[in-house]
């Protein structure tokens, strides 16, 4: 009989540059760091697109993308010259009940307007989502598995004497489609943790978030 074989793509972020596999790890292909857009001790975060064969990578100079399995990389124009600190792909339901893929990118650049940017077109363009700041650095982002529109973001203000972390939660999209956010107060025990990052969100409860400092 006939058998359907699903090709599993893999990516390993090695210290000498990423290596890719398209056959469940039987064969691997290496790409040098400079081709992706970074070098040195920096470790980018890689995210596979769920809409296409694109792969995205965070760098100090913006978000880079390959659409040919790592053969060529280019910077996304809207985020060029911004330090993209975290990257997240989500699937949410629109008002009409159809699924929509959203790519999120957090920036942490000095003397720049930092935001949680969103893309609705597989990373071709990015727009501000409603969470932006002239002073904050945004560090990490997570989505609740049980509610794709429940997002969490951590950040901090580098201009404060004590760089207290900040914690933000989405409250849904308005009638124009813009994601709305609120800032939540963190307990004093977490104030010294300027590099506070989200580990994950509970699978069953969208209100239970795990953090590390």
């Amino acid at each position: 009989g006939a058998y359907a074989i699903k090709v599993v793509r893999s990516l390993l972020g090695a210290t000498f540059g990423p290596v890719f596999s398209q056959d469940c790890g039987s064969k691997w292909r290496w790409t040098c760091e400079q081709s992706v857009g970074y070098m040195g001790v920096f470790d980018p975060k890689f995210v596979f697109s769920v809409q296409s064969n694109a792969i995205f990578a965070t760098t100090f100079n913006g978000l880079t993308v390959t659409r040919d399995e790592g053969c060529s990389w280019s910077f996304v124009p809207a985020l060029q010259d911004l330090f993209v600190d975290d990257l997240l792909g989500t699937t949410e339901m629109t008002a009409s009940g159809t699924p929509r893929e959203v790519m999120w990118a957090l920036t942490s650049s000095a003397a720049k307007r930092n935001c949680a940017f969103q893309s609705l077109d597989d990373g071709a363009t990015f727009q501000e989502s409603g969470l932006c700041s002239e002073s904050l650095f945004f560090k990490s982002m997570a989505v609740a598995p049980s509610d794709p529109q429940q997002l969490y973001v951590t950040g901090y203000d580098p201009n404060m004497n004590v760089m207290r972390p900040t914690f933000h939660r989405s409250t849904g999209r308005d009638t124009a489609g813009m994601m709305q956010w609120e800032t939540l107060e963190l307990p004093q025990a977490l104030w010294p943790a300027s590099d506070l990052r989200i580990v994950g969100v509970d699978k069953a409860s969208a209100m239970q978030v795990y953090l590390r400092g």
Side-chain angles (χ1 to χ4, degrees):
Y3 295 89
I5 300 176
K6 182 179 180 180
V7 176
V8 177
R9 297 190 299 162
S10 304
L11 185 153
L12 175 64
T15 56
F16 48 82
V19 287
F20 302 88
S21 174
Q22 294 179 275
D23 54 7
C24 301
S26 296
K27 295 184 295 292
W28 294 86
R29 186 181 74 252
W30 169 71
T31 298
C32 68
E33 297 175 335
Q34 291 89 339
S35 297
V36 180
Y38 71 99
M39 59 188 301
V41 298
F42 178 76
D43 293 321
K45 180 175 183 178
F46 294 95
V47 171
F48 285 98
S49 168
V50 296
Q51 301 182 64
S52 67
N53 65 341
I55 305 171
F56 298 87
T58 62
T59 80
F60 277 116
N61 298 312
L63 183 68
T64 61
V65 58
T66 177
R67 300 187 186 276
D68 53 13
E69 298 297 338
C71 292
S72 61
W73 294 78
S74 60
F75 281 95
V76 175
L79 302 180
Q80 195 155 1
D81 299 324
L82 294 174
F83 174 29
V84 179
D85 209 345
D86 203 4
L87 191 62
L88 178 70
T90 66
T91 302
E92 64 179 45
M93 301 302 292
T94 64
S96 61
T98 57
R100 175 174 63 184
E101 310 303 330
V102 185
M103 182 70 70
W104 295 91
L106 294 183
T107 60
S108 298
S109 294
K112 299 286 183 67
R113 179 176 170 85
N114 291 309
C115 294
F117 291 91
Q118 66 173 10
S119 173
L120 304 177
D121 54 11
D122 198 31
T125 61
F126 278 83
Q127 302 82 33
E128 296 181 2
S129 72
L131 179 61
C132 293
S133 175
E134 303 291 343
S135 60
L136 296 180
F137 284 8
F138 296 113
K139 302 298 293 181
S140 70
M141 189 176 203
V143 60
S146 60
D147 183 358
Q149 289 203 49
Q150 185 65 75
L151 301 162
Y152 296 93
V153 171
T154 62
Y156 73 95
D157 189 343
N159 301 306
M160 298 179 64
N161 292 331
V162 178
M163 295 187 293
R164 279 174 51 182
T166 60
F167 188 60
H168 314 271
R169 180 176 66 190
S170 64
T171 58
R173 295 187 181 274
D174 62 17
T175 55
M178 180 70 74
M179 186 66 78
Q180 303 298 297
W181 301 83
E182 63 179 350
T183 300
L184 304 178
E185 185 69 22
L186 290 168
Q188 292 188 17
L190 295 177
W191 288 3
S194 61
D195 196 31
L196 191 69
R197 292 181 180 267
I198 303 170
V199 177
V201 183
D202 190 83
K203 291 183 178 180
S205 174
M207 304 299 288
Q208 187 165 334
V209 186
Y210 303 97
L211 305 171
R212 68 170 174 82

